[in-house]
Amino acid sequence: MSKNQSGQFIGGLLLGTAVGVVTGILIAPRSGQQTRKILKKSVAALPDLAEDISTSVQFQADRLGASTKDTWEDTLSRVREAIAAGVEASL
């Protein structure tokens, strides 16, 4: 699995978990009062979940940025070598 795919997988996993929790709470056979208590707790946990997702996304973006930079530098080096070889061949 490539780095980009693993980042997408982690993001999808976190999003799927959040959606599953909310769906499970809403369709659970509980009284309204119990469901409201659970929803209040879930809403209170949302900032932490958002922070976790944000941290994960930032980490993946940093990894992608570093990978892109390395690839760009490698490509630029090969282009420079090809230009130098072309100039040398034309002389």
Side-chain angles (χ1 to χ4, degrees), residues 8-84:
Q8 290 175 346
F9 176 76
I10 291 170
L13 182 66
L14 291 173
L15 180 61
T17 300
V19 169
V21 166
V22 170
T23 302
I25 288 171
L26 292 176
I27 64 172
R30 292 190 173 94
S31 70
Q33 184 178 14
Q34 290 175 327
T35 302
R36 282 190 296 276
K37 283 182 182 180
I38 292 171
L39 285 174
K40 285 180 184 177
K41 288 180 183 179
S42 297
V43 168
L46 283 177
D48 292 335
L49 178 61
E51 185 177 341
D52 290 346
I53 291 172
S54 174
T55 301
S56 177
V57 167
Q58 183 63 44
F59 176 73
Q60 294 300 328
D62 290 345
R63 283 180 46 191
L64 179 60
S67 174
T68 301
K69 182 181 177 190
D70 291 343
T71 302
W72 171 251
E73 288 173 354
D74 184 45
T75 302
L76 187 58
S77 175
R78 284 194 251 164
V79 167
R80 286 182 180 150
E81 289 172 5
I83 291 171

